[in-house]
Amino acid sequence: MKKALPLTLLAGAAVLAAGAALAQSPQPPKAEPAMQKVLDAMAALKPKPIETLTPEEARKQPTPADAVKKVLADSGKPAAPEAGVTVKDMTIGSGDAGFPIHVYTPEGKGPFPVMVYYHGGGFVIADTKVYDASPRALAKMANAIMVSVDYRRAPEHTFPAAPNDAFAAYQWVLAHAKEINGDPNRVAVGGESAGGNLATVVSMMARDKKVALPVHQLLVYPVVNDDMNTASYKQNANAKPLNKPMMEWFFKHYGGDPKNPYALPMKATSLKGLPPATIVAAEIDPLLSEGKAYADKLKKDGVAVNYKEYSGVTHEFFGMGAVVPKAKEAEQFAADELKKAFAAKK
């Protein structure tokens, strides 16, 4: 009879096996130099792995926006926001159902077209302050008002709180656009990552509830599925700043129904009747495959889509225009698509 191995040896063997498996797993593509500077700055800030933290702890970690500020500081450049946009903070709704919005207005007379913008952060972390560079850049480049929504986050407010808040904010803008110097007939939606999810879900809700459709949806590497066996999940399982364990953590806290298209839009029976879409994707991103698949599904269902993938950059690159040239390029691409959509509705 064979003698059982001590538990310490078994545990050690398991760790070695896990390490070997990690070493053999595909490595993410190489970041281009400007992007790598941001990744190096992020590493220097010593963030803890999000998936090992509580949501409260995770919200206090250094962010990609902090890494951008570090790159600017290290280069001797000012980290102050770009001029030419004013921001007004407001609260809509009331009581437990109330939440903040932030109105970014470009210089000029107006009335301006409007985009309702939803920040990223996996439905759990981050807020408009972390993502400030994106609505600020888009307001200036698209000459449009950006209404950024600080929707309620999980796990304190699990699904469907976020999409309900996102849709409530969209309806508020339709009803109150004139009060913020906006045009109620030219309202788009957009967002990054979890915010991209909310933007396309709001489009679906508007269609389903017979509310005026957004004129356009800007989806920047949107979360639209929970399939973690895609080519990009395999290739970028250990990528920075977003990886597979983080996505598992986000989904666990969000509590969305995996069969509900308002949680995961790829699960929708049909995407027919949704507004035209611009989809921005990053090569070094677990969400790359699902963004492309969603673009294909939209096209198949008769929705006009302009899809663009940027090589050598990671999830979260959009909004880093101050230090990553490809981010500035992506911001301009998105703004140009928005301008076309708004011009068509004049």
Side-chain angles (χ1 to χ4, degrees):
M1 184 176 174
K2 286 185 179 177
K3 192 176 178 182
L5 287 169
L7 286 175
T8 49
L9 285 179
L10 288 171
V15 169
L16 287 172
L22 193 64
Q24 289 171 5
S25 64
Q27 291 305 301
K30 190 176 179 184
E32 54 91 42
M35 186 76 242
Q36 189 59 51
K37 268 191 184 179
V38 178
L39 294 176
D40 291 344
M42 187 77 187
L45 295 172
K46 298 187 174 6
K48 294 174 183 174
I50 293 288
E51 66 277 10
T52 67
L53 306 175
T54 65
E56 294 80 7
E57 291 167 338
R59 290 168 189 156
K60 295 173 184 171
Q61 290 300 296
T63 68
D66 293 325
V68 169
K69 287 173 186 169
K70 179 168 169 46
V71 171
L72 287 168
D74 291 349
S75 308
K77 294 176 183 174
E82 203 175 350
V85 177
T86 58
V87 185
K88 182 182 180 184
D89 303 324
M90 303 171 66
T91 298
I92 62 174
S94 59
D96 290 343
F99 52 89
I101 61 170
H102 310 274
V103 182
Y104 291 72
T105 305
E107 293 174 338
K109 284 202 313 185
F112 297 99
V114 184
M115 185 173 88
V116 188
Y117 168 86
Y118 308 104
H119 66 78
F123 308 103
V124 179
I125 60 175
D127 54 17
T128 292
K129 193 181 291 182
V130 171
Y131 282 83
D132 172 80
S134 295
R136 194 176 287 276
L138 290 171
K140 196 168 182 179
M141 290 176 169
N143 197 38
I145 291 170
M146 299 287 139
V147 177
S148 183
V149 181
D150 278 342
Y151 50 88
R152 289 171 296 166
R153 300 173 301 187
E156 295 88 346
H157 304 280
T158 53
F159 176 85
N164 286 346
D165 288 355
F167 188 58
Y170 172 68
Q171 289 180 294
W172 185 92
V173 169
L174 291 179
H176 298 271
K178 289 181 180 177
E179 296 167 28
I180 57 171
N181 202 16
D183 180 352
N185 297 311
R186 293 186 292 159
V187 179
V189 292
E192 300 169 57
S193 195
N197 169 293
L198 294 174
T200 201
V201 166
V202 165
S203 299
M204 294 167 71
M205 293 171 102
R207 176 197 65 181
D208 298 345
K209 297 173 190 293
K210 306 292 190 287
V211 170
L213 281 176
V215 300
H216 199 78
Q217 46 179 337
L218 169 63
L219 314 177
V220 181
Y221 28 74
V223 178
V224 290
N225 208 350
D226 59 354
D227 180 1
M228 297 193 184
N229 292 308
T230 63
S232 64
Y233 258 104
K234 289 174 181 174
Q235 183 74 54
N236 298 299
N238 307 309
K240 302 285 185 184
L242 182 70
N243 57 38
K244 184 178 177 180
M246 284 173 68
M247 285 304 301
E248 290 169 339
W249 185 87
F250 287 134
F251 279 132
K252 178 185 78 174
H253 287 298
Y254 186 42
D257 174 358
K259 293 179 182 175
N260 190 327
Y262 291 170
L264 298 167
M266 274 297 286
K267 306 293 177 81
T269 305
S270 172
L271 300 175
K272 288 184 190 300
L274 293 190
T278 297
I279 298 181
V280 173
E283 181 188 17
I284 311 169
D285 185 357
L287 307 183
L288 173 63
S289 296
E290 67 196 69
K292 180 64 169 67
Y294 193 62
D296 292 342
K297 186 175 171 97
L298 283 165
K299 285 179 189 171
K300 187 182 172 189
D301 284 349
V303 178
V305 179
N306 199 345
Y307 172 90
K308 195 161 186 180
E309 179 187 327
Y310 290 83
S311 62
V313 290
T314 72
H315 192 85
E316 300 288 11
F317 88 102
F318 194 86
M320 294 182 179
V323 296
V324 179
K326 283 195 177 181
K328 181 69 86 175
E329 199 183 306
E331 291 164 4
Q332 191 64 61
F333 166 66
D336 289 346
E337 292 303 300
L338 282 170
K339 285 200 281 191
K340 288 179 202 169
F342 291 141
K345 295 292 179 180
K346 256 191 170 179

